[in-house]
Amino acid sequence: MSVLLTISAQAQTTPVITEEDMARVRREQPNITDKDIKRAQKAHSMPGAAELKRVPGTAGPRIDALPKPQTDAPVDLEALSKAYALQMKITQPTRLVLGDGPILMVFISLSMPEATLKRLVNQAARAKASLLIRGLLNGSLRDTVARTQALLADQSVAFQIDPQAFERYAITQVPSFVLVRDGASSTPCQNGSCSPPNDYVRLAGDVSLDYALSHIQHRTPRFSKDVAAFIQRLKG
């Protein structure tokens, strides 16, 4: 019987390092002496205290170079306080309570002519009537506050944003005037608290408040007593 053996691995020769090779490597390595070390220390010595003092320090931020406000005018804290109070009054209006004396509401829009708005604001302040708008001017609370503050100036007058009141009293044009009689009752409805038709009277038209009240007094005698108090304030 014959056996065939196949050897595929090739024999590898392992290099032999002699003493002569090691001596040659030692001769090729640099020989660092104490003199060499001292020369390197002298060339690259650490800076002393005197040299460190001569090195310029890193400059800090210049306060005088910071951006300055566009104006040097002092902040008017009183004006800011009034604007904030007005903003709170607009965003959180006092609800009108029915049945607690007659109520006079003047429905306006901040886009109405300036002369008309100023006349109605002045008369509403004197008559103790409430001014109502449907929503924000330009959809902006900032614009609404600025416009309203300019209109009201230092006059004391109730001012509200109340879109539900526009729906409740079917206000389709401005200015409109609504007088709710004393002792009026209210019933729950889709828009909150509603008044029966016989408990209020509405007048629309570009007229003054005193004209509107006089018209209501003559055309609807049952509201004469309620109107009288507001007319008296306007005349006073």
Side-chain angles (χ1 to χ4, degrees), residues 103-123:
I103 295 173
L104 179 60
M105 292 172 281
V106 182
F107 293 82
I108 62 173
S109 169
L110 295 179
S111 61
M112 290 168 53
E114 184 79 6
T116 300
L117 284 173
K118 287 187 175 181
R119 182 181 69 244
L120 292 175
V121 167
N122 178 266
Q123 291 186 324

Side-chain angles (χ1 to χ4, degrees), residues 30-202:
N31 185 23
I32 301 176
T33 63
D34 292 340
K35 186 176 181 180
D36 295 329
I37 294 174
K38 291 181 180 180
R39 183 168 58 249
Q41 290 176 341
K42 184 177 180 180
H44 304 284
S45 59
M46 293 293 293
E51 293 175 328
L52 289 176
K53 290 182 179 180
R54 292 194 295 268
V55 177
T58 304
R62 294 183 55 190
I63 303 300
D64 59 340
L66 295 176
K68 295 183 178 180
Q70 295 182 354
T71 176
D72 294 330
V75 178
D76 191 343
L77 296 179
E78 183 178 0
L80 289 177
S81 177
K82 289 182 178 180
Y84 176 76
L86 179 60
Q87 177 176 334
M88 294 302 295
K89 191 174 184 179
I90 292 177
T91 54
Q92 299 178 352
T94 302
R95 293 296 178 187
L96 301 176
V97 180
L98 300 179
D100 189 19
I103 295 173
L104 179 60
M105 292 172 281
V106 182
F107 293 82
I108 62 173
S109 169
L110 295 179
S111 61
M112 290 168 53
E114 184 79 6
T116 300
L117 284 173
K118 287 187 175 181
R119 182 181 69 244
L120 292 175
V121 167
N122 178 266
Q123 291 186 324
R126 288 158 50 199
K128 304 303 180 183
S130 298
L131 296 171
L132 291 89
I133 62 175
R134 184 184 294 273
L136 299 175
L137 177 64
N138 302 325
S140 168
L141 179 60
R142 181 187 297 274
D143 291 350
T144 304
V145 171
R147 180 76 171 113
T148 306
Q149 188 177 26
L151 281 174
L152 301 186
D154 295 328
Q155 300 181 90
S156 177
V157 56
F159 188 92
Q160 299 184 27
I161 297 177
D162 193 348
Q164 290 185 352
F166 277 75
E167 301 295 333
R168 184 180 307 129
Y169 297 104
I171 304 300
T172 58
Q173 69 178 87
V174 290
S176 284
F177 309 87
V178 173
L179 175 68
V180 182
R181 69 174 180 82
D182 185 15
S185 60
S186 61
T187 57
C189 63
Q190 180 179 357
N191 295 319
S193 178
C194 290
S195 297
N198 292 332
D199 283 346
Y200 71 92
V201 59
R202 180 185 65 244

Side-chain angles (χ1 to χ4, degrees), residues 2-22:
S2 61
V3 178
L4 178 61
L5 299 176
T6 302
I7 300 176
S8 58
Q10 299 179 353
Q12 296 182 358
T13 304
T14 301
V16 178
I17 300 176
T18 64
E19 292 292 338
E20 183 179 355
D21 295 330
M22 296 179 66

Side-chain angles (χ1 to χ4, degrees), residues 200-215:
Y200 71 92
V201 59
R202 180 185 65 244
L203 175 68
D206 189 6
V207 297
S208 63
L209 181 56
D210 54 347
Y211 178 89
L213 292 175
S214 178
H215 182 85

